[in-house]
Amino acid sequence: MPKRKNGELSEGEKRYCMERVRGKSLAKSYEAAGYAVTHSKYAAIRGAKIENRPHVQKYMAELRESVWVQNAMSIAEKRSLLAEVARAKPEEINEESPIASLSVDGEGNRSLQGPKVSDKLKAIELDSRLSGELSGEDNKNQVLIQLVNDRLEIPTIDLESSNEN
């Protein structure tokens, strides 16, 4: 086996790090990386020894950060979700909708609700802030938002009656 340079990870160490970042335990990561295991308690101990190596810790930190970056929403995704909330029509809301909320009353009756008017207005406001349309205090916009909020209502969809159709 060729000698590694100081700080260079072996293939086994890389596989181990990937498994740990995915959430596996020390022992399971050690086994999944392809290391020989005689007993699971020894696998955990050996996994901990691998994890204590500075170059392995550095690599795991980089992996965790890249996973975090991949999972973070982009501005376009945020604005798209806000637009979906703002444009939601009660009759189009179903249980699979990411913007639906399910409520259950004291008798066990379920009802599906879309965003309230206040939710829609907040989504519009947040989208406007993200786009840069609102800067500083704009009292005219606040008055307009309150007027719209006072006039609109979004009905609740009753799942019991909608399932009968």
Side-chain angles (χ1 to χ4, degrees), residues 82 119-131 134 142 145:
L82 291 169
D119 298 331
K120 290 177 169 239
L121 293 172
K122 187 66 176 175
I124 292 168
E125 180 185 5
L126 288 171
D127 184 62
S128 297
R129 288 184 191 277
L130 285 173
S131 70
L134 294 181
Q142 294 303 321
I145 288 171

Side-chain angles (χ1 to χ4, degrees), residues 20-73:
R20 285 293 284 154
V21 168
R22 289 182 181 139
K24 287 189 178 175
S25 68
L26 292 166
K28 296 283 184 197
S29 298
Y30 187 82
E31 292 173 31
Y35 292 109
V37 179
T38 55
H39 195 279
S40 62
K41 82 174 178 182
Y42 298 121
I45 293 168
R46 290 184 180 138
K49 285 183 179 181
I50 290 173
E51 211 161 304
N52 283 331
R53 298 172 188 162
H55 64 286
V56 171
Q57 289 176 349
K58 181 181 176 194
Y59 183 66
M60 283 181 63
E62 290 170 359
L63 282 176
R64 284 189 178 110
E65 185 175 328
S66 72
V67 167
W68 180 83
V69 167
Q70 290 171 1
N71 290 331
M73 290 176 71

Side-chain angles (χ1 to χ4, degrees), residues 121 125 134 140-150:
L121 293 172
E125 180 185 5
L134 294 181
K140 289 183 214 171
N141 283 338
Q142 294 303 321
V143 171
L144 179 60
I145 288 171
Q146 188 58 48
L147 286 172
V148 173
N149 193 21
D150 290 342

